[in-house]
Amino acid sequence: MNTFALTKLSYGMYILSTMDGDKPVGCTINTSTQITATPTTIMISVNKNNYTNGCIKKNGKFALSILSEKSDSTLIGGFGFRSSRDNNKFENVDYEIKYEMPIIKAANAYLICKVVDSLEVHTHTIFIGELLEAEILDNEANSMTYSYYHNVIKGNTPANASTANAYKKEDKKEEAKAVYRCKTCGFEYKGDIPFEDLPKDWVCPICGEPKSNFEKIS
C-alpha cells in the first residue's frame, strides 16, 4: 500500500483555538471542511491527545484561523509541536478575541462555531460546528495548503496529525553535507550554508527554536 497517495487529497493549514477558562489555547490542524450550507456547518478533526480537544468539549465552541501563504511558519510549529497544557502558545502571538474565541490576526480569515455534534473515530474526535461568525482578514493572500507547507516551507507532520501516515516516506539524504534536526519539531536543516556558519540569532523556520535546540544527525 502506498499511503503517500493520501497526500493527493486537499488539506489546508489552520490554527484551531478555544478557551480553557480565561486562558486561550489552540493547536495546528489540517483537516477541516464545510459539511452543510443551511445551516452552515464545519467539520474539524482533532487528536484525542491534544489538550485543545478536551477544552473544546468543555467549552462547546471553537475558532478556526485559516492561515495564508504569508503567515509566519513559526505559527504552525509553535501551535503544532507544543502542548497548551504546559505552554502559553498565545504569549508572543498577535491575536484578538471575537465571540469569546481567540483569533490569529496573521490569518487570512476566521470561522467561529458552536459544537452541535461530535464523533469519536479511533485516535481522533470529529467535531461538527455550526457557524456563528466568519470574516476575511486578508483577501489578497492565498490560503496555505498542506502541500505548500510540505513542499515550499519544508515542514514536518506532528505525530498527532490526522494525516501523520500520509507523509511517511524515506527522505533522500544529501551526500557530504551535515544535517541538523530540531529537537522540538523535527525540521531538518540541509541548507547550502553550513549550520555552524548560520547567525547566532538564527531560529528554526518552523517552530522558532534557537540553534542550540538542533542536533547533528548525519
Side-chain angles (χ1 to χ4, degrees):
M1 181 185 296
N2 184 1
T3 58
F4 197 64
L6 295 169
T7 66
K8 302 307 177 184
L9 291 169
S10 295
Y11 305 96
M13 292 301 292
Y14 317 102
I15 301 299
L16 172 67
S17 58
T18 189
M19 297 295 293
D20 180 20
D22 58 357
K23 174 187 175 183
V25 297
C27 62
T28 304
I29 66 170
N30 57 50
T31 306
S32 179
T33 191
Q34 181 176 346
I35 302 296
T36 61
T38 308
T40 302
T41 54
I42 305 296
M43 178 277 290
I44 59 172
S45 178
V46 192
N47 194 290
K48 295 177 184 179
N49 291 330
N50 281 6
Y51 187 74
T52 305
N53 184 311
C55 293
I56 292 175
K57 289 176 179 176
K58 288 189 296 183
N59 189 292
K61 291 199 301 184
F62 64 83
L64 206 62
S65 296
I66 304 170
L67 299 182
S68 77
E69 293 178 358
K70 288 167 48 180
S71 299
D72 192 332
S73 60
T74 59
L75 282 170
I76 300 169
F79 279 86
F81 294 94
R82 300 182 180 92
S83 173
S84 290
R85 181 181 291 104
D86 309 309
N87 299 272
N88 180 3
K89 298 183 181 181
F90 286 83
E91 184 175 12
N92 298 309
V93 173
D94 194 11
Y95 73 98
E96 60 184 327
I97 300 296
K98 296 285 187 179
Y99 276 67
E100 302 178 333
M101 291 287 104
I103 301 300
I104 304 295
K105 289 185 177 181
N108 64 355
Y110 67 82
L111 312 174
I112 300 175
C113 302
K114 67 174 181 179
V115 177
V116 294
D117 206 351
S118 64
L119 175 67
E120 304 297 326
V121 184
H122 302 300
T123 56
H124 283 64
T125 302
I126 294 176
F127 292 101
I128 306 297
E130 184 175 329
L131 191 66
L132 299 176
E133 174 69 338
E135 191 57 72
I136 294 174
L137 301 176
D138 184 350
N139 206 27
E140 301 299 320
N142 293 324
S143 294
M144 187 186 297
T145 64
Y146 205 38
S147 175
Y148 182 94
Y149 169 67
H150 276 277
N151 298 322
V152 178
I153 297 178
K154 305 297 184 183
N156 292 317
T157 301
N160 282 352
S162 57
T163 56
N165 66 327
Y167 279 85
K168 278 188 176 179
K169 60 177 181 176
E170 293 186 4
D171 294 326
K172 295 180 180 178
K173 294 187 181 293
E174 299 179 22
E175 296 182 2
K177 182 181 291 186
V179 178
Y180 288 77
R181 180 169 58 204
C182 177
K183 297 177 184 178
T184 299
C185 72
F187 170 78
E188 294 183 0
Y189 178 79
K190 304 175 183 178
D192 294 330
I193 300 174
F195 186 80
E196 297 82 357
D197 294 339
L198 291 172
K200 291 183 178 179
D201 59 354
W202 182 89
V203 298
C204 176
I206 302 301
C207 67
E209 291 285 355
K211 286 179 64 178
S212 59
N213 194 55
F214 278 70
E215 59 183 352
K216 186 176 181 180
I217 60 173
S218 68

